Each structure stands twice: as C-alpha cells, then as structure tokens.
C-alpha cells in the first residue's frame, strides 16, 4: 500500500450518513432525491490562474494558503472564455462537500451511483442549469482522525472526475468533515470497515478578473 500525500486540509465537508440514517444536510428536507449544496459553504478568495482546461471547463488556481486547487467552472461563470493563465481573479466557489459517508452495503452503493447520476443543485441559485458534479470513492477504512474529522481509506474504486484515479490499494485521506452530523457519522466508522463516500467537485460560481 502507498500513502497518498496530497494535502486535504481546509477542505469543507458537510453532512454524512450512517446506514440507518435518513439524509440530512446538505440534503433537502423535502425529498431524499433533492440534493443541494447550502450557500453556507461558499468561499470567496483571490488567487492566480495557473492553468486552464477548456475541454472540461476546468482551471487550476493558486491560493496563498491552499496552494494549487483544481476546480470546475459552473455554467454561471459566463466569462470562462476570457480567463487566461497568470490572471489575478476573485473567485466565488465551493470546496469539497461530502454527501455520503457510510458502511458499504448494496443499498449504499446503489444510493451513491444514483447521487452521482443526479448531481447537486446550488441552494438559492435557480438559474444554474448545470448541476454540481458528485464523485465517489469506496474502500476499507484504515483510520478515523476525530481531532481533524477526517477518514482514511484504502481505495478500491472511484475517484474524482477529470483527475487520474488513485491506484487500487492506495491509502487516501478524504476531505475534512466539519458538520455536526458528519462528525457523528465518523464516530460510527471503525478501521477495517468497508465504507462508501460521495463528495462534490470543487466548483467555481463566479470569477472576476482583477488584472
């Protein structure tokens, strides 16, 4: 097994599920299928564009405190075609938000697949045509760090879209969970448990060119 060294500190998390729990934040209370990302998880930061991937509407931005972060521009970023490498930009964006952390069962696996197919809408922004993409990773838990609210797993399947999938058997530190519901779910996960996770991709909603 290899240890993944990619930093995931400062990654936002949201609600997680145990196998017996009904969906809670960031899920809508109206319907289990109505997945949304709360506006409370928005970020506003200034950084420098490092690279652009027009094929996926993606770009990599450099923050002083986070380093390089790859994100996808939502359809709300109407000036995406004007973005250039080296520009200083102000970005309204969402970091990773976790939608599911639960012991793996056939029902949980089916739920994760359905969530990824559906994607998540943005709370309070009905004009967004494109839903935020979700991704999943499953494998055996090796460690739960309640001090930082993170879980480590041995990757068995899955990975982020538009990024090379980690090798099977690689130990991955998943993004941090910060919600009370997510912290409670982490307390039910033990090393050796097969778990399934679902997260949203890092997504920009607005990019303002400064210079």
């Amino acid at each position: 097994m290899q240890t993944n060294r990619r930093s995931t500190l400062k990654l936002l998390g949201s609600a997680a599920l145990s196998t017996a729990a009904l969906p809670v934040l960031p899920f809508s209370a109206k319907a289990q299928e109505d997945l949304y990302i709360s506006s409370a998880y928005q970020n506003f930061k200034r950084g420098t564009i490092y690279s652009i991937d027009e094929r996926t509407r993606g770009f990599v931005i450099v923050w002083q405190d986070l380093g390089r972060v790859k994100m996808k521009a939502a359809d709300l970023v109407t000036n995406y075609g004007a973005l250039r490498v080296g520009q200083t930009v102000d970005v309204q964006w969402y970091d990773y938000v976790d939608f599911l952390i639960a012991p793996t069962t056939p029902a949980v696996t089916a739920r994760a697949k359905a969530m990824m197919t559906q994607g998540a809408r943005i709370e309070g922004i009905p004009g967004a045509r494109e839903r935020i993409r979700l991704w999943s990773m499953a494998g055996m838990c090796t460690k739960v760090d309640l001090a930082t609210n993170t879980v480590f797993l041995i990757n068995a399947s899955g990975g982020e879209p538009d990024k090379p999938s980690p090798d099977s058997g690689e130990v991955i530190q998943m993004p941090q969970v910060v919600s009370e519901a997510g912290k409670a779910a982490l307390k039910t996960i033990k090393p050796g448990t097969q778990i399934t996770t679902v997260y949203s991709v890092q997504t920009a909603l607005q990019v303002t060119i400064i210079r």
Side-chain angles (χ1 to χ4, degrees), residues 15 43 70 103 137:
N43 299 282
K70 183 176 182 179
M137 185 175 291

Side-chain angles (χ1 to χ4, degrees), residues 17-34:
L17 303 175
S18 66
T19 54
L22 290 175
V24 290
L25 284 175
F27 300 115
S28 167
K30 295 181 180 179
Q32 183 171 338
E33 293 76 20
D34 188 13

